[in-house]
Amino acid sequence: EVQLVESGGGLVQPGGSLRLSCAASGFTVSSNYMSWVRQAPGKGLEWVSVIYSGGSTYYADSVKGRFTISRHNSKNTLYLQMNSLRAEDTAVYYCARGMIAAAGSYYFDYWGQGTLVTVSS
Amino acid sequence: EIVLTQSPGTLSLSPGERATLSCRASQSVSSSYLAWYQQKPGQAPRLLIYGASSRATGIPDRFSGSGSGTDFTLTISRLEPEDFAVYYCQQYGSSPRGTFGQGTKVEIK
């Protein structure tokens, strides 16, 4: 059974850092596209980042240069390192597995339950 | 970058009625790479439809997707109580950066 379990969210001050983790089971993270998607309170879904099975990474313009997506193959875990956090980064962060339709094209077939990040002083 | 516009913002219907949700793209979506997700309060999104019209595993056949190019539709043939939720479309053909619509809320009338 495929499962994704996020952790690492919490309250952080503006300018601070946080690292989110997403522990996967039932499949191999490194063989799949893996993404982070966030949802601000009462708002819609916003794609944040993806790491391809080959290791290429991409980011939304709103987080580029501040967030880093990575994975630990032996732990079968996905990460999101978030630096220079801003109030507008406040959201529930979901990790999601990307089902590959074609090279570079993917939709999300499994989602974690999400972890809340609150950026506030 | 392709922008997705969903309409209506809110759909007020009764159980048993038919729901028709629209997702319009600012440019043609290549290969009909469009997905639909359902999200209930406090829950993660759930994949319903991919490739514009293919149902995901375990999704009831009252959910159907159609469309191509710039106009896509999610239809729920007969609303069940558990179908009242927010629905998002996503295009995944144009770039590595996923794009979601703003969502349509289906609420009980």
Side-chain angles (χ1 to χ4, degrees):
Chain A
E1 179 191 5
V2 170
Q3 279 197 320
L4 296 167
V5 179
E6 300 96 335
S7 61
L11 175 64
V12 61
Q13 292 188 338
S17 298
L18 213 53
R19 188 178 81 157
L20 306 183
S21 301
C22 173
S25 57
F27 73 100
T28 302
V29 163
S30 61
S31 299
N32 285 268
Y33 290 10
M34 296 295 298
S35 270
W36 291 95
V37 177
R38 69 184 180 183
Q39 186 170 37
K43 302 297 185 183
L45 302 172
E46 180 188 14
W47 177 86
V48 173
S49 182
V50 64
I51 182 167
Y52 287 175
S53 49
S56 298
T57 59
Y58 299 88
Y59 300 91
D61 289 344
S62 57
V63 307
K64 195 178 302 181
R66 301 187 298 123
F67 290 11
T68 302
I69 191 171
S70 64
R71 65 193 181 205
H72 193 300
N73 294 348
S74 63
K75 292 184 178 180
N76 210 34
T77 298
L78 177 74
Y79 300 102
L80 185 68
Q81 177 67 44
M82 304 185 295
N83 299 330
S84 303
L85 282 161
R86 307 166 180 167
E88 54 265 35
D89 296 318
T90 294
V92 173
Y93 284 73
Y94 297 101
C95 69
R97 188 177 81 167
M99 174 60 73
I100 301 168
S105 297
Y106 59 98
Y107 55 92
F108 304 110
D109 61 345
Y110 287 96
W111 298 66
Q113 84 289 352
T115 187
L116 176 63
V117 172
T118 303
V119 184
S120 175
S121 55
Chain B
E1 178 185 329
I2 294 179
V3 176
L4 300 178
T5 302
Q6 292 186 240
S7 61
T10 301
L11 200 50
S12 299
L13 295 168
S14 301
E17 290 194 293
R18 181 184 189 90
T20 303
L21 287 66
S22 172
C23 177
R24 179 162 291 177
S26 59
Q27 306 169 44
S28 182
V29 176
S30 60
S31 304
S32 294
Y33 283 163
L34 188 108
W36 289 93
Y37 302 88
Q38 176 194 66
Q39 187 179 35
K40 297 179 183 179
Q43 296 186 16
R46 176 175 73 144
L47 175 68
L48 297 176
I49 301 287
Y50 63 94
S53 60
S54 298
R55 269 188 302 277
T57 303
I59 301 304
D61 60 8
R62 63 180 180 273
F63 291 92
S64 63
S66 62
S68 64
T70 61
D71 289 300
F72 298 87
T73 300
L74 174 69
T75 301
I76 311 171
S77 58
R78 289 176 56 86
L79 282 164
E80 297 288 341
E82 63 267 27
D83 298 337
F84 291 92
V86 179
Y87 293 84
Y88 295 95
C89 59
Q90 178 222 353
Q91 71 83 22
Y92 53 96
S94 68
S95 87
R97 296 164 182 81
T99 307
F100 292 95
Q102 81 279 18
T104 289
K105 181 180 182 180
V106 178
E107 66 176 21
I108 300 176
K109 186 174 182 180

